[in-house]
Amino acid sequence: MEKVVFGFFVVLAATLNFGFFIGDISRPELHNQYELYAAVVVNLIATVLKFGDRTQIGAVHLATSLVADLQLIGASFMWVYAEHISSAGLTAGWTASIVSLAGGALVANMISVVLLVVETTSSHRG
């Protein structure tokens, strides 16, 4: 059951990240702020689940998760700044920067999914 929960959060993190990322990079209406925040929360949960693994592949899982967390949290801070502090508001430029950070997180999440699939297919039942 532990592997199911772990796999669930790894895949959910990637799909939420993808859902936020997809769409014209400069159009704010195509990128939902709540989807970004959900991606942050699920990525943080996935990161916590990766702390117990002491293997080499576990270390790479954790590294990819930390990269995704950093980029998604950065994107969230940029969104908050653009909407609530910047006098210009959420412009196409701000949106492009936010979505670009989410794209970097998506790459990290995809690496994590690939690692999960490789780890799953290479495991032997005894």
Side-chain angles (χ1 to χ4, degrees), residues 12 42 44 49 53 58 79-80 85 87 91-93 110 115 118-119:
L12 183 60
V42 171
L44 289 172
L49 293 173
D53 193 348
W79 192 302
V80 169
I85 298 170
S87 60
T91 63
M110 289 295 109
L115 288 173
V118 167
E119 188 177 29

Side-chain angles (χ1 to χ4, degrees), residues 25-28 78-79 82 86 88-101:
I25 194 168
S26 64
R27 294 186 48 202
M78 288 179 79
W79 192 302
S86 171
L90 188 61
T91 63
W94 277 111
T95 303
S97 295
I98 292 164
V99 173
S100 292
L101 280 173

Side-chain angles (χ1 to χ4, degrees), residues 30-106:
L30 299 178
H31 306 282
N32 187 292
Q33 65 185 353
Y34 299 111
E35 194 166 18
L36 175 60
Y37 300 141
V40 170
V41 169
V42 171
N43 267 282
L44 289 172
I45 292 169
T47 301
V48 169
L49 293 173
K50 293 174 183 180
F51 272 114
D53 193 348
R54 301 272 187 240
T55 64
Q56 180 65 33
I57 201 160
V60 178
H61 263 300
L62 182 59
T64 60
S65 199
L66 290 171
V67 167
D69 291 342
L70 183 63
Q71 290 187 310
L72 289 172
I73 290 169
S76 296
F77 281 137
M78 288 179 79
W79 192 302
V80 169
Y81 181 84
E83 281 217 332
H84 301 288
I85 298 170
S86 171
S87 60
L90 188 61
T91 63
W94 277 111
T95 303
S97 295
I98 292 164
V99 173
S100 292
L101 280 173
L106 180 60

Side-chain angles (χ1 to χ4, degrees), residues 99-121:
V99 173
S100 292
L101 280 173
L106 180 60
V107 170
N109 279 327
M110 289 295 109
I111 291 169
S112 194
V113 169
V114 168
L115 288 173
L116 179 66
V117 170
V118 167
E119 188 177 29
T120 301
T121 57

